[in-house]
Amino acid sequence: MPRTARDVVFVDGVRTPFGKAGPKGLYAQTRADDMVVRAIRELMRRNPSLPPERVDEVAVAATTQTGDQGLTIGRSAAVLAGLPKSVPGFAVDRMCAGAMTAVTTTGAGIAFGSYDVAIAGGVEHMGRHPMGEGVDPNPRFLADKLVDPSALVMGSTAENLHDRFPGITKERADAYAVRSQRKVAEAYAAGRIQPDLVPTAVRSADLGWGLATDDEPPRPGTTMESLAALKTPFRVHGNVTAGNAAGLNDGATACLLAAEDVARELGLAPRMRLVDFAFAGVEPEVMGVGPVPATEKLLARNALTMDDIGLIEINEAFAVQVLAFLEHFKIADDDARVNPWGGAIALGHPLASSGVRLMNQLSRLFEERTDVRFGLTTMCVGMGMGGTVLWENANWEGAK
Protein backbone atom coordinates (compact mmCIF):
# COMPACT_ATOMS: atom_id res chain seq x y z
CA MET A 1 0.00 0.00 0.00
CA PRO A 2 1.34 3.52 -0.76
CA ARG A 3 2.36 5.48 2.32
CA THR A 4 2.06 9.20 2.94
CA ALA A 5 5.02 10.82 4.66
CA ARG A 6 4.30 12.00 8.20
CA ASP A 7 5.56 15.13 9.91
CA VAL A 8 8.47 14.41 12.28
CA VAL A 9 9.05 16.50 15.39
CA PHE A 10 11.89 17.03 17.84
CA VAL A 11 10.28 16.76 21.26
CA ASP A 12 13.13 17.05 23.73
CA GLY A 13 16.90 16.73 24.00
CA VAL A 14 19.43 16.41 26.80
CA ARG A 15 23.15 15.94 27.22
CA THR A 16 25.72 15.29 29.86
CA PRO A 17 28.00 18.21 30.66
CA PHE A 18 30.98 17.94 28.31
CA GLY A 19 34.35 17.15 29.85
CA LYS A 20 37.97 17.47 28.85
CA ALA A 21 39.45 14.22 27.57
CA GLY A 22 42.39 12.79 29.46
CA PRO A 23 43.38 11.40 32.85
CA LYS A 24 42.37 14.59 34.68
CA GLY A 25 39.10 15.16 32.82
CA LEU A 26 35.63 14.91 34.35
CA TYR A 27 34.92 11.48 32.90
CA ALA A 28 38.35 9.87 33.17
CA GLN A 29 36.86 7.04 35.26
CA THR A 30 33.36 7.02 33.75
CA ARG A 31 32.27 4.54 31.07
CA ALA A 32 31.04 5.85 27.74
CA ASP A 33 27.94 3.65 27.76
CA ASP A 34 27.04 4.89 31.24
CA MET A 35 27.13 8.48 29.97
CA VAL A 36 24.65 7.80 27.18
CA VAL A 37 22.48 5.69 29.50
CA ARG A 38 22.30 8.69 31.85
CA ALA A 39 21.07 10.84 28.97
CA ILE A 40 18.44 8.30 27.86
CA ARG A 41 17.11 7.87 31.39
CA GLU A 42 16.82 11.62 31.86
CA LEU A 43 14.97 11.93 28.56
CA MET A 44 12.41 9.38 29.74
CA ARG A 45 12.16 11.00 33.18
CA ARG A 46 11.41 14.39 31.64
CA ASN A 47 8.66 12.94 29.45
CA PRO A 48 6.58 10.76 31.82
CA SER A 49 3.59 10.65 29.47
CA LEU A 50 5.63 8.51 27.06
CA PRO A 51 5.17 4.80 27.83
CA PRO A 52 8.63 3.17 27.49
CA GLU A 53 7.17 0.44 25.29
CA ARG A 54 6.16 3.07 22.73
CA VAL A 55 9.82 3.72 21.88
CA ASP A 56 10.35 1.94 18.57
CA GLU A 57 14.10 2.41 18.09
CA VAL A 58 17.24 3.65 19.84
CA ALA A 59 20.06 4.87 17.58
CA VAL A 60 23.32 5.85 19.26
CA ALA A 61 26.41 7.06 17.42
CA ALA A 62 30.05 6.60 18.34
CA THR A 63 33.05 7.22 16.12
CA THR A 64 35.31 4.66 17.76
CA GLN A 65 33.07 1.64 18.22
CA THR A 66 35.14 -0.46 20.55
CA GLY A 67 35.30 -1.24 24.26
CA ASP A 68 32.62 0.64 26.18
CA GLN A 69 31.54 2.32 22.91
CA GLY A 70 31.03 -1.01 21.16
CA LEU A 71 28.56 -3.88 21.48
CA THR A 72 25.97 -2.21 19.20
CA ILE A 73 25.75 0.66 21.64
CA GLY A 74 22.21 1.71 20.68
CA ARG A 75 20.86 -1.66 21.77
CA SER A 76 23.11 -2.10 24.79
CA ALA A 77 22.35 1.42 26.03
CA ALA A 78 18.61 0.80 25.65
CA VAL A 79 18.85 -2.32 27.81
CA LEU A 80 21.08 -0.62 30.39
CA ALA A 81 18.71 2.36 30.54
CA GLY A 82 15.86 0.08 31.56
CA LEU A 83 13.80 0.28 28.39
CA PRO A 84 11.74 -2.84 27.67
CA LYS A 85 13.70 -5.66 26.03
CA SER A 86 11.28 -5.33 23.11
CA VAL A 87 12.88 -1.98 22.17
CA PRO A 88 15.59 -2.52 19.53
CA GLY A 89 18.64 -0.37 18.92
CA PHE A 90 21.61 0.09 16.62
CA ALA A 91 24.93 1.91 16.34
CA VAL A 92 25.85 4.68 13.90
CA ASP A 93 29.18 5.97 12.64
CA ARG A 94 29.51 9.08 10.50
CA MET A 95 32.37 10.48 12.55
CA CYS A 96 31.44 13.98 13.82
CA ALA A 97 27.97 13.75 12.27
CA GLY A 98 27.12 10.50 14.04
CA ALA A 99 24.33 11.84 16.25
CA MET A 100 23.08 13.98 13.37
CA THR A 101 22.84 10.82 11.24
CA ALA A 102 21.13 8.94 14.07
CA VAL A 103 18.48 11.68 14.02
CA THR A 104 18.06 11.86 10.24
CA THR A 105 17.93 8.06 9.90
CA THR A 106 15.33 7.49 12.61
CA GLY A 107 13.50 10.66 11.52
CA ALA A 108 13.23 9.26 8.00
CA GLY A 109 11.88 6.03 9.48
CA ILE A 110 9.21 7.97 11.37
CA ALA A 111 8.28 9.92 8.22
CA PHE A 112 7.98 6.65 6.32
CA GLY A 113 5.76 5.16 9.02
CA SER A 114 8.10 2.45 10.26
CA TYR A 115 8.48 4.11 13.68
CA ASP A 116 6.22 6.28 15.81
CA VAL A 117 8.79 7.29 18.44
CA ALA A 118 12.59 7.05 18.46
CA ILE A 119 15.52 8.04 20.65
CA ALA A 120 18.66 9.22 18.86
CA GLY A 121 21.96 10.47 20.17
CA GLY A 122 25.66 9.91 20.41
CA VAL A 123 28.58 9.48 22.74
CA GLU A 124 32.31 9.94 22.54
CA HIS A 125 34.85 9.22 25.24
CA MET A 126 37.95 10.63 23.58
CA GLY A 127 39.92 10.10 26.77
CA ARG A 128 39.40 6.35 26.59
CA HIS A 129 39.21 6.10 22.82
CA PRO A 130 41.27 8.76 21.02
CA MET A 131 40.20 9.61 17.49
CA GLY A 132 41.75 7.05 15.14
CA GLU A 133 42.31 4.41 17.83
CA GLY A 134 42.69 1.02 16.15
CA VAL A 135 42.14 2.43 12.66
CA ASP A 136 44.09 0.83 9.82
CA PRO A 137 43.68 3.08 6.74
CA ASN A 138 43.99 1.21 3.48
CA PRO A 139 47.41 2.01 1.99
CA ARG A 140 45.74 2.64 -1.37
CA PHE A 141 44.41 5.95 -0.05
CA LEU A 142 47.93 7.31 -0.38
CA ALA A 143 49.51 4.87 -2.84
CA ASP A 144 46.82 5.54 -5.44
CA LYS A 145 46.73 9.23 -4.48
CA LEU A 146 43.03 9.04 -3.66
CA VAL A 147 43.46 11.57 -0.87
CA ASP A 148 46.16 13.97 0.23
CA PRO A 149 48.14 12.70 3.27
CA SER A 150 46.89 15.68 5.28
CA ALA A 151 43.31 14.35 5.00
CA LEU A 152 43.95 11.98 7.90
CA VAL A 153 44.92 14.78 10.32
CA MET A 154 41.98 17.04 11.12
CA GLY A 155 44.14 19.97 12.21
CA SER A 156 46.02 19.79 8.92
CA THR A 157 42.75 19.92 6.99
CA ALA A 158 41.96 23.14 8.84
CA GLU A 159 45.32 24.60 7.84
CA ASN A 160 44.50 23.61 4.24
CA LEU A 161 41.27 25.54 4.54
CA HIS A 162 43.20 28.64 5.56
CA ASP A 163 45.19 28.19 2.35
CA ARG A 164 42.03 27.93 0.28
CA PHE A 165 40.51 31.01 1.94
CA PRO A 166 43.49 33.37 2.32
CA GLY A 167 41.23 36.13 3.63
CA ILE A 168 40.61 34.05 6.76
CA THR A 169 43.64 35.03 8.81
CA LYS A 170 44.71 33.67 12.18
CA GLU A 171 43.60 36.95 13.76
CA ARG A 172 40.15 36.58 12.23
CA ALA A 173 39.91 32.98 13.47
CA ASP A 174 41.06 34.01 16.94
CA ALA A 175 38.49 36.82 17.03
CA TYR A 176 35.76 34.31 16.20
CA ALA A 177 37.01 32.03 19.00
CA VAL A 178 36.97 34.87 21.54
CA ARG A 179 33.35 35.64 20.58
CA SER A 180 32.38 31.98 21.02
CA GLN A 181 33.86 31.90 24.51
CA ARG A 182 32.14 35.18 25.42
CA LYS A 183 28.75 34.04 24.11
CA VAL A 184 28.92 30.78 26.07
CA ALA A 185 29.81 32.69 29.24
CA GLU A 186 26.87 35.04 28.68
CA ALA A 187 24.50 32.14 27.98
CA TYR A 188 25.62 30.39 31.17
CA ALA A 189 25.14 33.58 33.17
CA ALA A 190 21.59 33.85 31.79
CA GLY A 191 20.82 30.20 32.61
CA ARG A 192 20.28 29.23 28.98
CA ILE A 193 22.67 26.29 28.68
CA GLN A 194 21.87 24.54 31.95
CA PRO A 195 18.31 23.27 31.23
CA ASP A 196 19.62 20.61 28.83
CA LEU A 197 22.44 19.40 31.09
CA VAL A 198 21.97 16.12 32.94
CA PRO A 199 23.86 16.03 36.25
CA THR A 200 26.12 13.02 35.90
CA ALA A 201 27.92 11.02 38.60
CA VAL A 202 31.70 11.01 38.18
CA ARG A 203 34.55 9.51 40.14
CA SER A 204 38.05 10.81 40.77
CA ALA A 205 40.96 8.85 42.22
CA ASP A 206 41.77 11.86 44.40
CA LEU A 207 38.31 13.15 45.37
CA GLY A 208 36.08 10.09 45.14
CA TRP A 209 32.52 10.44 43.86
CA GLY A 210 31.16 13.74 42.60
CA LEU A 211 28.59 15.25 40.28
CA ALA A 212 29.28 16.88 36.92
CA THR A 213 26.80 19.74 36.48
CA ASP A 214 28.57 22.19 34.13
CA ASP A 215 30.66 21.93 31.00
CA GLU A 216 34.37 21.67 31.76
CA PRO A 217 35.97 23.08 28.54
CA PRO A 218 34.85 26.77 28.48
CA ARG A 219 37.60 29.36 29.02
CA PRO A 220 35.64 32.58 29.69
CA GLY A 221 38.75 34.68 30.18
CA THR A 222 40.05 34.06 26.66
CA THR A 223 41.49 37.14 24.94
CA MET A 224 43.09 37.89 21.61
CA GLU A 225 46.40 38.31 23.43
CA SER A 226 46.20 34.88 25.09
CA LEU A 227 45.31 33.20 21.79
CA ALA A 228 48.13 34.95 19.94
CA ALA A 229 50.65 33.26 22.24
CA LEU A 230 49.50 29.69 21.47
CA LYS A 231 51.53 27.26 19.37
CA THR A 232 50.43 26.15 15.90
CA PRO A 233 50.99 22.37 16.18
CA PHE A 234 49.87 21.40 12.69
CA ARG A 235 52.15 23.71 10.72
CA VAL A 236 55.14 25.91 11.50
CA HIS A 237 53.91 29.50 11.55
CA GLY A 238 50.42 28.17 10.90
CA ASN A 239 46.98 29.44 11.85
CA VAL A 240 45.28 26.64 13.79
CA THR A 241 45.76 26.49 17.57
CA ALA A 242 44.10 24.90 20.57
CA GLY A 243 42.37 28.24 21.10
CA ASN A 244 40.59 28.55 17.75
CA ALA A 245 39.56 24.90 17.53
CA ALA A 246 37.38 22.57 19.56
CA GLY A 247 39.24 20.46 22.09
CA LEU A 248 39.35 16.73 22.77
CA ASN A 249 36.26 15.98 24.80
CA ASP A 250 34.01 13.39 26.42
CA GLY A 251 30.22 13.56 26.52
CA ALA A 252 26.87 12.11 25.46
CA THR A 253 23.61 13.40 23.98
CA ALA A 254 20.13 12.01 23.38
CA CYS A 255 16.91 13.35 21.91
CA LEU A 256 13.33 12.25 21.49
CA LEU A 257 11.73 12.23 18.03
CA ALA A 258 8.15 11.35 17.15
CA ALA A 259 5.54 11.56 14.46
CA GLU A 260 3.71 14.82 15.11
CA ASP A 261 0.31 13.17 15.48
CA VAL A 262 1.72 10.58 17.88
CA ALA A 263 3.41 13.31 19.94
CA ARG A 264 0.07 15.09 20.31
CA GLU A 265 -1.64 11.80 21.21
CA LEU A 266 0.92 11.13 23.95
CA GLY A 267 0.88 14.67 25.32
CA LEU A 268 4.41 15.46 24.11
CA ALA A 269 4.99 19.08 23.11
CA PRO A 270 7.07 19.43 19.93
CA ARG A 271 9.81 22.07 19.90
CA MET A 272 10.63 21.91 16.20
CA ARG A 273 9.70 20.08 13.01
CA LEU A 274 12.16 18.19 10.82
CA VAL A 275 11.79 19.63 7.31
CA ASP A 276 14.63 18.03 5.35
CA PHE A 277 18.31 17.08 5.53
CA ALA A 278 21.25 16.68 3.19
CA PHE A 279 24.76 15.27 3.25
CA ALA A 280 27.49 15.99 0.72
CA GLY A 281 31.08 15.00 0.04
CA VAL A 282 34.11 17.23 -0.58
CA GLU A 283 37.85 16.66 -0.93
CA PRO A 284 38.91 14.99 2.34
CA GLU A 285 41.89 17.31 2.71
CA VAL A 286 39.51 20.28 3.12
CA MET A 287 36.77 18.46 4.99
CA GLY A 288 35.83 21.66 6.85
CA VAL A 289 34.11 23.08 3.77
CA GLY A 290 31.62 20.17 3.78
CA PRO A 291 28.69 22.17 5.24
CA VAL A 292 28.68 24.43 2.18
CA PRO A 293 27.51 21.93 -0.50
CA ALA A 294 25.26 20.14 1.99
CA THR A 295 23.51 23.42 2.79
CA GLU A 296 23.34 24.48 -0.85
CA LYS A 297 21.69 21.18 -1.76
CA LEU A 298 19.20 21.49 1.08
CA LEU A 299 18.23 25.11 0.40
CA ALA A 300 17.80 24.49 -3.32
CA ARG A 301 15.62 21.44 -2.77
CA ASN A 302 13.33 23.46 -0.50
CA ALA A 303 13.29 26.63 -2.64
CA LEU A 304 14.87 28.65 0.18
CA THR A 305 17.78 31.06 0.42
CA MET A 306 19.95 31.93 3.38
CA ASP A 307 17.76 34.99 3.89
CA ASP A 308 14.95 32.62 4.91
CA ILE A 309 17.05 31.10 7.69
CA GLY A 310 16.64 32.88 11.02
CA LEU A 311 19.02 30.78 13.15
CA ILE A 312 22.13 28.75 12.32
CA GLU A 313 23.76 26.29 14.70
CA ILE A 314 27.06 25.29 13.08
CA ASN A 315 29.54 23.03 14.80
CA GLU A 316 32.77 24.83 15.58
CA ALA A 317 35.29 22.09 14.92
CA PHE A 318 37.65 24.88 13.82
CA ALA A 319 37.04 28.61 13.57
CA VAL A 320 38.28 28.60 9.96
CA GLN A 321 35.65 26.02 9.01
CA VAL A 322 32.83 28.21 10.35
CA LEU A 323 34.29 31.31 8.71
CA ALA A 324 34.60 29.55 5.35
CA PHE A 325 30.88 28.69 5.55
CA LEU A 326 29.98 32.27 6.45
CA GLU A 327 32.20 33.72 3.73
CA HIS A 328 30.66 31.46 1.09
CA PHE A 329 27.13 32.53 1.99
CA LYS A 330 28.15 36.19 2.44
CA ILE A 331 27.27 36.16 6.13
CA ALA A 332 29.14 38.47 8.51
CA ASP A 333 31.50 36.86 11.03
CA ASP A 334 29.43 38.28 13.88
CA ASP A 335 25.97 37.72 12.38
CA ALA A 336 23.49 37.40 15.27
CA ARG A 337 21.85 34.36 13.64
CA VAL A 338 24.97 32.22 14.03
CA ASN A 339 25.53 30.28 17.27
CA PRO A 340 23.92 32.96 19.47
CA TRP A 341 24.90 31.06 22.63
CA GLY A 342 28.37 30.08 21.45
CA GLY A 343 29.61 26.77 20.19
CA ALA A 344 32.08 23.91 20.32
CA ILE A 345 35.21 26.05 20.54
CA ALA A 346 34.03 26.86 24.06
CA LEU A 347 31.66 24.01 24.93
CA GLY A 348 33.65 21.13 23.45
CA HIS A 349 33.12 18.64 20.64
CA PRO A 350 32.83 14.99 21.72
CA LEU A 351 32.73 13.93 18.05
CA ALA A 352 29.70 11.68 17.45
CA SER A 353 27.56 13.33 20.14
CA SER A 354 27.72 16.92 18.86
CA GLY A 355 24.95 16.84 16.26
CA VAL A 356 22.27 16.56 18.94
CA ARG A 357 23.87 19.33 21.01
CA LEU A 358 23.34 21.63 18.03
CA MET A 359 19.69 20.53 17.85
CA ASN A 360 19.13 20.99 21.58
CA GLN A 361 20.48 24.51 21.38
CA LEU A 362 18.47 25.40 18.27
CA SER A 363 15.25 24.07 19.82
CA ARG A 364 15.80 26.25 22.91
CA LEU A 365 16.46 29.27 20.72
CA PHE A 366 13.24 28.57 18.81
CA GLU A 367 11.33 28.72 22.12
CA GLU A 368 12.67 32.24 22.70
CA ARG A 369 12.45 33.36 19.08
CA THR A 370 8.90 32.63 17.98
CA ASP A 371 9.41 35.17 15.19
CA VAL A 372 11.88 32.78 13.50
CA ARG A 373 10.43 30.09 11.27
CA PHE A 374 13.46 28.17 9.90
CA GLY A 375 16.80 27.18 11.39
CA LEU A 376 19.74 25.02 10.38
CA THR A 377 22.02 22.63 12.21
CA THR A 378 25.14 21.96 10.18
CA MET A 379 28.60 20.46 10.60
CA CYS A 380 31.69 19.28 8.79
CA VAL A 381 32.62 15.59 8.89
CA GLY A 382 35.95 13.79 8.73
CA MET A 383 37.06 12.19 5.45
CA GLY A 384 35.46 15.03 3.51
CA MET A 385 31.75 15.37 4.19
CA GLY A 386 29.21 17.84 5.46
CA GLY A 387 25.70 17.48 6.85
CA THR A 388 22.87 19.99 7.26
CA VAL A 389 19.39 19.61 8.75
CA LEU A 390 16.57 22.09 8.12
CA TRP A 391 14.15 22.64 11.02
CA GLU A 392 10.90 24.60 11.37
CA ASN A 393 10.00 26.25 14.65
CA ALA A 394 6.96 24.44 16.08
CA ASN A 395 6.03 27.64 17.91
CA TRP A 396 6.47 29.99 14.97
CA GLU A 397 4.05 32.86 15.49
CA GLY A 398 3.32 33.07 11.75
CA ALA A 399 1.54 29.71 11.88
CA LYS A 400 -1.08 30.97 14.33
Side-chain angles (χ1 to χ4, degrees):
M1 294 289 292
R3 302 191 187 201
T4 301
R6 300 188 298 175
D7 285 336
V8 181
V9 294
F10 180 103
V11 173
D12 197 4
V14 298
R15 66 178 178 89
T16 66
F18 289 168
K20 296 179 181 178
K24 295 183 179 180
L26 272 177
Y27 300 113
Q29 297 191 37
T30 303
R31 290 179 59 97
D33 47 12
D34 284 339
M35 286 194 287
V36 76
V37 163
R38 181 72 186 93
I40 293 171
R41 285 178 171 169
E42 179 65 11
L43 204 56
M44 297 302 295
R45 187 193 71 80
R46 292 190 187 194
N47 296 275
S49 66
L50 171 64
E53 64 273 12
R54 292 296 300 271
V55 178
D56 294 307
E57 189 71 273
V58 177
V60 177
T63 303
T64 307
Q65 296 189 9
T66 188
D68 53 348
Q69 292 183 175
L71 198 63
T72 313
I73 192 165
R75 169 60 174 174
S76 58
V79 172
L80 289 165
L83 294 177
K85 302 296 194 302
S86 57
V87 177
F90 64 96
V92 179
D93 175 19
R94 200 198 292 261
M95 294 190 179
C96 301
M100 175 179 280
T101 303
V103 167
T104 57
T105 300
T106 53
I110 292 170
F112 187 68
S114 298
Y115 310 137
D116 284 340
V117 179
I119 291 173
V123 63
E124 208 74 52
H125 199 309
M126 299 181 76
R128 283 176 178 244
H129 308 293
M131 184 167 52
E133 178 192 30
V135 171
D136 179 20
N138 193 303
R140 289 201 306 108
F141 279 126
L142 301 183
D144 293 357
K145 297 184 178 180
L146 298 174
V147 300
D148 186 88
S150 61
L152 303 180
V153 180
M154 295 300 100
S156 296
T157 68
E159 290 285 8
N160 292 342
L161 209 52
H162 273 285
D163 295 340
R164 182 166 291 197
F165 292 84
I168 303 177
T169 62
K170 181 179 182 298
E171 291 71 23
R172 189 173 160 193
D174 285 351
Y176 181 88
V178 169
R179 281 195 299 275
S180 182
Q181 294 283 357
R182 186 190 70 242
K183 287 191 285 187
V184 164
E186 290 172 350
Y188 254 103
R192 286 169 159 149
I193 302 290
Q194 296 90 325
D196 289 334
L197 300 183
V198 183
T200 304
V202 293
R203 190 174 186 279
S204 161
D206 298 330
L207 303 175
W209 287 99
L211 199 63
T213 57
D214 296 320
D215 293 302
E216 187 179 22
R219 300 180 297 276
T222 299
T223 64
M224 290 292 289
E225 292 73 24
S226 63
L227 294 188
L230 296 177
K231 295 179 180 179
T232 58
F234 303 104
R235 184 183 295 178
V236 176
H237 305 303
N239 298 286
V240 179
T241 71
N244 59 32
L248 305 179
N249 305 107
D250 307 328
T253 60
C255 70
L256 184 61
L257 306 170
E260 187 163 22
D261 58 338
V262 173
R264 304 292 185 192
E265 169 203 335
L266 295 174
L268 302 171
R271 290 196 210 163
M272 56 188 186
R273 190 171 295 106
L274 175 60
V275 179
D276 198 0
F277 61 89
F279 293 91
V282 297
E283 300 99 320
E285 58 269 25
V286 286
M287 66 93 195
V289 81
V292 169
T295 302
E296 288 183 322
K297 182 191 297 188
L298 188 61
L299 293 177
R301 194 161 61 211
N302 290 276
L304 296 172
T305 71
M306 199 56 82
D307 290 338
D308 297 306
I309 306 302
L311 290 165
I312 301 167
E313 282 292 323
I314 180 169
N315 193 45
E316 298 171 354
F318 301 94
V320 63
Q321 157 254 315
V322 178
L323 294 169
F325 177 90
L326 300 181
E327 190 162 297
H328 177 85
F329 287 105
K330 296 180 172 57
I331 299 171
D333 293 3
D334 59 354
D335 191 300
R337 294 177 293 171
V338 181
N339 294 2
W341 298 346
I345 287 174
L347 291 169
H349 174 31
L351 301 183
S353 70
S354 287
V356 165
R357 181 195 66 77
L358 298 175
M359 296 169 193
N360 290 349
Q361 215 148 299
L362 178 63
S363 72
R364 292 290 185 187
L365 283 158
F366 272 157
E367 288 180 330
E368 288 194 8
R369 295 290 307 280
T370 57
D371 59 308
V372 172
R373 182 177 184 183
F374 294 116
L376 296 178
T377 54
T378 186
M379 61 200 314
C380 61
V381 189
M383 285 302 291
M385 293 180 284
T388 304
V389 186
L390 175 63
W391 300 92
E392 183 180 30
N393 190 347
N395 298 301
W396 176 51
E397 60 191 29
K400 297 176 183 178

